[in-house]
mmCIF file of all heavy atoms in Angstrom:
data_model
loop_
_atom_site.group_PDB
_atom_site.id
_atom_site.type_symbol
_atom_site.label_atom_id
_atom_site.label_comp_id
_atom_site.label_asym_id
_atom_site.label_seq_id
_atom_site.Cartn_x
_atom_site.Cartn_y
_atom_site.Cartn_z
ATOM 1 N N VAL A 44 20.704 37.197 12.960
ATOM 2 C CA VAL A 44 20.599 36.976 11.611
ATOM 3 C C VAL A 44 19.238 37.651 11.043
ATOM 4 O O VAL A 44 19.273 38.257 9.920
ATOM 5 C CB VAL A 44 20.551 35.435 11.205
ATOM 6 C CG1 VAL A 44 20.173 35.260 9.815
ATOM 7 C CG2 VAL A 44 21.949 34.877 11.483
ATOM 8 N N GLU A 45 18.145 37.667 11.771
ATOM 9 C CA GLU A 45 16.922 38.101 11.357
ATOM 10 C C GLU A 45 16.969 39.649 11.130
ATOM 11 O O GLU A 45 16.223 40.270 10.458
ATOM 12 C CB GLU A 45 15.708 37.756 12.178
ATOM 13 C CG GLU A 45 15.763 38.331 13.594
ATOM 14 C CD GLU A 45 16.315 37.408 14.611
ATOM 15 O OE1 GLU A 45 16.919 36.397 14.247
ATOM 16 O OE2 GLU A 45 16.064 37.590 15.810
ATOM 17 N N ASP A 46 17.928 40.352 11.775
ATOM 18 C CA ASP A 46 18.060 41.720 11.579
ATOM 19 C C ASP A 46 18.558 42.188 10.288
ATOM 20 O O ASP A 46 18.434 43.325 9.819
ATOM 21 C CB ASP A 46 19.061 42.371 12.725
ATOM 22 C CG ASP A 46 18.435 42.175 14.069
ATOM 23 O OD1 ASP A 46 17.288 42.150 14.297
ATOM 24 O OD2 ASP A 46 19.342 41.901 15.065
ATOM 25 N N TYR A 47 19.025 41.192 9.521
ATOM 26 C CA TYR A 47 19.543 41.550 8.167
ATOM 27 C C TYR A 47 18.534 41.401 7.040
ATOM 28 O O TYR A 47 18.801 41.632 5.911
ATOM 29 C CB TYR A 47 20.816 40.728 7.893
ATOM 30 C CG TYR A 47 21.958 41.007 8.800
ATOM 31 C CD1 TYR A 47 22.371 40.126 9.773
ATOM 32 C CD2 TYR A 47 22.502 42.326 8.845
ATOM 33 C CE1 TYR A 47 23.358 40.496 10.673
ATOM 34 C CE2 TYR A 47 23.541 42.634 9.742
ATOM 35 C CZ TYR A 47 23.981 41.720 10.657
ATOM 36 O OH TYR A 47 24.904 42.019 11.546
ATOM 37 N N TYR A 48 17.428 40.826 7.330
ATOM 38 C CA TYR A 48 16.375 40.621 6.347
ATOM 39 C C TYR A 48 15.955 41.985 5.836
ATOM 40 O O TYR A 48 15.818 42.955 6.492
ATOM 41 C CB TYR A 48 15.145 39.927 6.799
ATOM 42 C CG TYR A 48 15.345 38.409 7.078
ATOM 43 C CD1 TYR A 48 15.252 37.933 8.400
ATOM 44 C CD2 TYR A 48 15.712 37.644 6.107
ATOM 45 C CE1 TYR A 48 15.405 36.557 8.671
ATOM 46 C CE2 TYR A 48 15.914 36.249 6.320
ATOM 47 C CZ TYR A 48 15.767 35.750 7.632
ATOM 48 O OH TYR A 48 15.900 34.452 7.878
ATOM 49 N N ALA A 49 15.710 42.113 4.489
ATOM 50 C CA ALA A 49 15.242 43.354 3.875
ATOM 51 C C ALA A 49 13.744 43.527 4.174
ATOM 52 O O ALA A 49 13.013 42.476 4.253
ATOM 53 C CB ALA A 49 15.515 43.365 2.417
ATOM 54 N N PRO A 50 13.266 44.710 4.273
ATOM 55 C CA PRO A 50 11.798 44.880 4.511
ATOM 56 C C PRO A 50 10.964 44.491 3.336
ATOM 57 O O PRO A 50 11.439 44.506 2.220
ATOM 58 C CB PRO A 50 11.635 46.419 4.753
ATOM 59 C CG PRO A 50 12.829 47.034 4.029
ATOM 60 C CD PRO A 50 13.891 45.983 4.211
ATOM 61 N N THR A 51 9.775 44.211 3.552
ATOM 62 C CA THR A 51 8.775 43.892 2.572
ATOM 63 C C THR A 51 8.033 45.107 2.204
ATOM 64 O O THR A 51 7.680 45.936 3.039
ATOM 65 C CB THR A 51 7.772 42.738 3.072
ATOM 66 O OG1 THR A 51 8.452 41.684 3.577
ATOM 67 C CG2 THR A 51 6.806 42.284 1.969
ATOM 68 N N ILE A 52 7.776 45.342 0.878
ATOM 69 C CA ILE A 52 7.087 46.429 0.400
ATOM 70 C C ILE A 52 5.692 46.409 0.798
ATOM 71 O O ILE A 52 5.123 47.419 1.247
ATOM 72 C CB ILE A 52 7.148 46.562 -1.193
ATOM 73 C CG1 ILE A 52 8.619 46.676 -1.601
ATOM 74 C CG2 ILE A 52 6.426 47.782 -1.625
ATOM 75 C CD1 ILE A 52 9.470 47.825 -1.071
ATOM 76 N N ASP A 53 4.940 45.365 0.638
ATOM 77 C CA ASP A 53 3.564 45.276 0.975
ATOM 78 C C ASP A 53 3.371 44.176 1.956
ATOM 79 O O ASP A 53 4.211 43.389 2.223
ATOM 80 C CB ASP A 53 2.622 45.089 -0.314
ATOM 81 C CG ASP A 53 3.090 43.951 -1.119
ATOM 82 O OD1 ASP A 53 4.242 43.401 -0.819
ATOM 83 O OD2 ASP A 53 2.387 43.545 -1.996
ATOM 84 N N GLY A 54 2.201 44.256 2.611
ATOM 85 C CA GLY A 54 1.875 43.291 3.712
ATOM 86 C C GLY A 54 1.159 44.020 4.759
ATOM 87 O O GLY A 54 1.077 45.290 4.733
ATOM 88 N N VAL A 55 0.556 43.233 5.722
ATOM 89 C CA VAL A 55 -0.161 43.827 6.756
ATOM 90 C C VAL A 55 0.492 43.536 8.029
ATOM 91 O O VAL A 55 0.834 42.410 8.335
ATOM 92 C CB VAL A 55 -1.629 43.275 6.733
ATOM 93 C CG1 VAL A 55 -2.443 43.745 7.944
ATOM 94 C CG2 VAL A 55 -2.324 43.580 5.431
ATOM 95 N N CYS A 56 0.667 44.555 8.962
ATOM 96 C CA CYS A 56 1.191 44.342 10.225
ATOM 97 C C CYS A 56 0.323 43.435 11.030
ATOM 98 O O CYS A 56 -0.900 43.522 10.971
ATOM 99 C CB CYS A 56 1.395 45.718 11.014
ATOM 100 S SG CYS A 56 2.485 46.838 10.325
ATOM 101 N N VAL A 57 0.920 42.511 11.811
ATOM 102 C CA VAL A 57 0.218 41.578 12.606
ATOM 103 C C VAL A 57 0.459 41.991 14.100
ATOM 104 O O VAL A 57 1.673 42.011 14.505
ATOM 105 C CB VAL A 57 0.681 40.227 12.440
ATOM 106 C CG1 VAL A 57 -0.086 39.204 13.344
ATOM 107 C CG2 VAL A 57 0.362 39.748 10.974
ATOM 108 N N PHE A 58 -0.684 42.379 14.864
ATOM 109 C CA PHE A 58 -0.460 42.647 16.333
ATOM 110 C C PHE A 58 -1.347 41.722 17.138
ATOM 111 O O PHE A 58 -2.456 41.451 16.665
ATOM 112 C CB PHE A 58 -0.870 44.158 16.451
ATOM 113 C CG PHE A 58 0.008 45.058 15.819
ATOM 114 C CD1 PHE A 58 -0.519 45.898 14.765
ATOM 115 C CD2 PHE A 58 1.349 45.292 16.130
ATOM 116 C CE1 PHE A 58 0.177 46.832 14.154
ATOM 117 C CE2 PHE A 58 2.088 46.139 15.372
ATOM 118 C CZ PHE A 58 1.553 46.987 14.465
ATOM 119 N N PRO A 59 -0.891 41.303 18.239
ATOM 120 C CA PRO A 59 0.407 41.377 18.730
ATOM 121 C C PRO A 59 1.453 40.362 17.957
ATOM 122 O O PRO A 59 0.889 39.484 17.403
ATOM 123 C CB PRO A 59 0.391 41.107 20.238
ATOM 124 C CG PRO A 59 -0.832 40.051 20.308
ATOM 125 C CD PRO A 59 -1.766 40.554 19.176
ATOM 126 N N PHE A 60 2.705 40.659 18.003
ATOM 127 C CA PHE A 60 3.607 39.761 17.404
ATOM 128 C C PHE A 60 4.835 39.529 18.288
ATOM 129 O O PHE A 60 5.073 40.229 19.255
ATOM 130 C CB PHE A 60 4.118 40.252 16.084
ATOM 131 C CG PHE A 60 5.008 41.445 16.171
ATOM 132 C CD1 PHE A 60 6.398 41.389 16.278
ATOM 133 C CD2 PHE A 60 4.442 42.709 16.039
ATOM 134 C CE1 PHE A 60 7.224 42.494 16.309
ATOM 135 C CE2 PHE A 60 5.194 43.885 16.077
ATOM 136 C CZ PHE A 60 6.571 43.758 16.135
#
Side-chain angles (χ1 to χ4, degrees):
V44 172
E45 66 261 18
D46 296 324
Y47 297 112
Y48 289 117
T51 304
I52 301 298
D53 50 353
V55 177
C56 294
V57 176
F58 298 114
F60 66 89

